[in-house]
Amino acid sequence: MCKVARSTGVPRPARPSRAAVSRRPRLRTIALVGIDGSGKTTQAQRLAATLTEAGRPARYHRNAGGRRWLGRAAQRLGRPDAQRLLGRDAMLVTESVLRWLAIALALLGCLLSGRVAVMDRYAVCQYASLRAHGGQRWERLVRAGYRLFPRPQVTFLLTVDPAEAYRRIEQRGTDHESLEYLAAADLAYHAVPEYPTFVPVRADRPPEEVAREIRGHLAGWLAAEGDPADRDSGCGEVRAVPGATALIPARALP
């Protein structure tokens, strides 16, 4: 005789599916930020190439604010720099608008192509620039305009002593920044509200060591996306493999 289990009348809670438990945002945007001379451009270009070679197509985006280009234009017109040409406030507003456009185009490219956007500078760079140049009164307005942009899944803050950054800038000879400004920018990056979400990386080491540490921080994201069956053409979500999140520092988690 077959026994039938008697119901207690209390419904069992629905168990979440395995896919629902393990799903997490797909790696879409990585930002490298820090003062001029910290090596952002070098590391961002390397990272985009490394991700692409590993089968995770990525594109490098240099989200410049136009200060270098405007500085060259100012020199042709007999002015020492862009700020002396336009004035401090006009220069900061112009820089904010140009960087906003650059970031918007980069994010649009991610949506259309499905590539990871490796950002050389992001919104927080503009906030730090405003603070370092004494333009704090513009920050609230600029933040309102930049609020449209999502926070990157991972933001690396490349840290270097301002004196070393100054030496590197002078050595490359394409632009100039005062040591006072670099010190002020370094303080600004550590003072912005976004600072606790950054993954700090010491950038006063050989580029190969810096690149290796950055790749190590991203190992969990790449492992989670390693199954080709989980890849799609957009910027959606993928299944994470068990244990992958253990490789991701807490500051890098979405």
Side-chain angles (χ1 to χ4, degrees), residues 1-253:
M1 181 177 179
C2 180
K3 293 184 179 181
V4 178
R6 188 171 59 186
S7 172
T8 62
V10 179
R12 291 184 178 181
R15 295 183 60 187
S17 66
R18 182 178 178 183
V21 172
S22 59
R23 288 174 73 86
R24 50 173 294 172
R26 181 174 181 170
L27 186 61
R28 302 184 306 272
T29 308
I30 305 167
L32 289 90
V33 304
I35 64 175
D36 290 348
S38 60
K40 298 184 298 297
T41 299
T42 298
Q43 294 303 327
Q45 290 175 338
R46 284 189 175 210
L47 180 57
T50 298
L51 290 172
T52 300
E53 291 171 3
R56 188 68 182 91
R59 179 170 295 172
Y60 164 81
H61 297 276
R62 186 175 183 272
N63 301 312
R67 186 174 290 270
R68 183 180 299 182
W69 179 84
L70 288 170
R72 292 173 181 170
Q75 290 178 357
R76 294 192 188 99
L77 296 173
R79 301 295 180 87
D81 53 42
Q83 188 163 311
R84 298 290 182 84
L85 176 66
L86 300 176
R88 187 193 66 181
D89 287 351
M91 180 64 244
L92 291 175
V93 171
T94 301
E95 181 184 60
S96 299
V97 171
L98 292 177
R99 199 185 306 278
W100 188 98
L101 291 172
I103 294 173
L105 289 174
L107 293 173
L108 180 61
C110 167
L111 289 174
L112 295 178
S113 68
R115 292 174 178 266
V116 176
V118 179
M119 302 292 206
D120 176 1
R121 303 172 179 85
Y122 202 65
V124 70
C125 295
Q126 194 55 39
Y127 311 151
S129 178
L130 290 168
R131 295 185 178 207
H133 283 103
Q136 289 91 332
R137 71 190 187 95
W138 293 104
E139 185 174 344
R140 180 177 296 181
L141 178 62
V142 171
R143 282 183 176 274
Y146 279 59
R147 195 171 295 148
L148 173 68
F149 303 139
R151 191 179 75 186
Q153 274 90 1
V154 188
T155 298
F156 292 105
L157 174 64
L158 303 189
T159 62
V160 64
D161 185 85
E164 171 61 16
Y166 178 83
R167 185 193 67 79
R168 293 178 179 181
I169 294 170
E170 292 298 304
Q171 186 176 43
R172 71 193 183 197
T174 58
D175 57 339
H176 173 77
E177 293 290 357
S178 69
L179 183 57
E180 292 76 13
Y181 166 73
L182 294 171
D186 182 59
L187 289 174
Y189 275 107
H190 288 79
V192 293
E194 293 82 0
Y195 176 74
T197 68
F198 298 159
V199 178
V201 177
R202 278 183 45 221
D204 57 351
R205 298 171 291 164
E208 294 77 13
E209 291 185 19
V210 178
R212 191 179 307 117
E213 181 173 344
I214 290 173
R215 291 197 303 269
H217 279 297
L218 294 174
W221 290 97
L222 299 179
E225 298 180 5
D227 186 354
D230 288 332
R231 295 181 182 173
D232 55 33
S233 59
C235 296
E237 296 180 340
V238 296
R239 258 196 336 264
V241 297
T245 55
L247 298 173
I248 306 172
R251 288 184 174 184
L253 289 171

